Amino acid sequence: EFDGVDIDLLFATVPIDSIPRDWDINDDNVLRGVDVGTEKSLNGPRVTSLIERLVPHFDSFLQLVRCVRYWVKKRGLYANKMGYLGGVNWNILSAFICQLYPNAAPALLLERFFFILRDWKWPTPILLTPQYDAGLGLESWDPSYGANRFHTMPILTPAYPSMNSSFAVSPQTLEVMVEEMASALERVRGVLAAGGVGWEEVFSPTDF
């Protein structure tokens, strides 16, 4: 905890004697020779940086993802450990909607967020960019391999190697999230029809 703010600190050990000032964490070669823990630690900032480059209008993305995060926290859906989604998952989903509607205003993006994801045909994965092999021998998510076949709600990270960031989701928690999105969609549409009045209804807290 730093100045009252909880911070997750990631540790990565890389096979070099020192880190040069021009070391580019976005270069796939930084993953050469690293262990699995480091690969996953580096994936976090690499994904964050790539999302910023993949969304058409970063300011609109920020407004959307802030609204989405506020909504999921009010509705009790912000919890990886409980089988729901965490920060990176909601970030990727928000970025995906921004890619689909690059010129939409934030209020419409929020409506489209709930509309698209309410009816998404899971387990069809969400991708921000096509998967690729950087030739480093690292394993990317493959729906035909191992436990990946049983993933309920695959939301893939855009950075190499592509991973499913939402493997903890179960059919039951997915059902809850879809129901919440359907309810939120009706509320957002009501607000838009009323000329922007009544946003507090969209972000009303759950009584659970």
Side-chain angles (χ1 to χ4, degrees):
E1 185 176 297
F2 180 78
D3 198 22
V5 178
D6 288 329
I7 300 174
D8 290 333
L9 291 178
L10 301 175
F11 175 79
T13 174
V14 293
I16 53 179
D17 294 329
S18 62
I19 304 296
R21 291 187 179 277
D22 61 351
W23 196 66
D24 183 8
I25 197 173
N26 299 312
D27 186 342
D28 291 334
N29 286 304
V30 303
L31 300 174
R32 193 176 298 277
V34 303
D35 58 36
V36 174
T38 290
E39 174 194 332
K40 287 179 167 51
S41 289
L42 291 177
N43 193 260
R46 282 163 54 82
V47 166
T48 300
S49 177
L50 195 53
I51 286 176
E52 184 174 357
R53 302 205 304 266
L54 289 172
V55 294
H57 298 290
F58 191 61
D59 288 342
S60 295
F61 163 75
L62 282 181
Q63 291 187 62
L64 173 62
V65 81
R66 285 170 179 160
C67 287
V68 169
R69 282 176 174 241
Y70 186 62
W71 173 75
V72 295
K73 289 179 179 179
K74 287 289 188 180
R75 303 305 298 172
L77 306 175
Y78 193 90
N80 280 126
K81 292 181 180 179
M82 299 298 290
Y84 295 109
L85 302 178
V88 66
N89 313 124
W90 296 113
N91 287 3
I92 293 172
L93 292 177
S94 297
F96 180 67
I97 299 303
C98 289
Q99 287 183 333
L100 292 179
Y101 301 95
N103 298 315
L108 180 58
L109 286 173
L110 187 62
E111 189 269 349
R112 294 287 89 183
F113 180 93
F114 296 127
F115 173 72
I116 295 295
L117 297 175
R118 176 198 62 176
D119 295 328
W120 190 258
K121 303 303 181 185
W122 304 105
T124 303
I126 295 281
L127 301 95
L128 297 182
T129 187
Q131 292 177 282
Y132 67 94
D133 185 1
L136 300 179
L138 301 177
E139 183 181 310
S140 291
W141 188 82
D142 182 346
S144 64
Y145 178 76
N148 295 345
R149 291 174 295 172
F150 306 107
H151 288 174
T152 301
M153 188 183 187
I155 301 170
L156 306 190
T157 57
Y160 172 83
S162 182
M163 309 173 187
N164 177 19
S165 63
S166 53
F167 58 86
V169 174
S170 70
Q172 291 73 31
T173 54
L174 174 59
E175 182 180 356
V176 171
M177 287 187 281
V178 170
E179 289 176 355
E180 286 286 346
M181 288 177 185
S183 175
L185 175 62
E186 295 306 313
R187 296 183 184 190
V188 170
R189 285 180 169 174
V191 170
L192 296 179
V197 177
W199 282 109
E200 64 278 1
E201 288 298 316
V202 177
F203 303 105
S204 61
T206 178
D207 58 1
F208 178 71

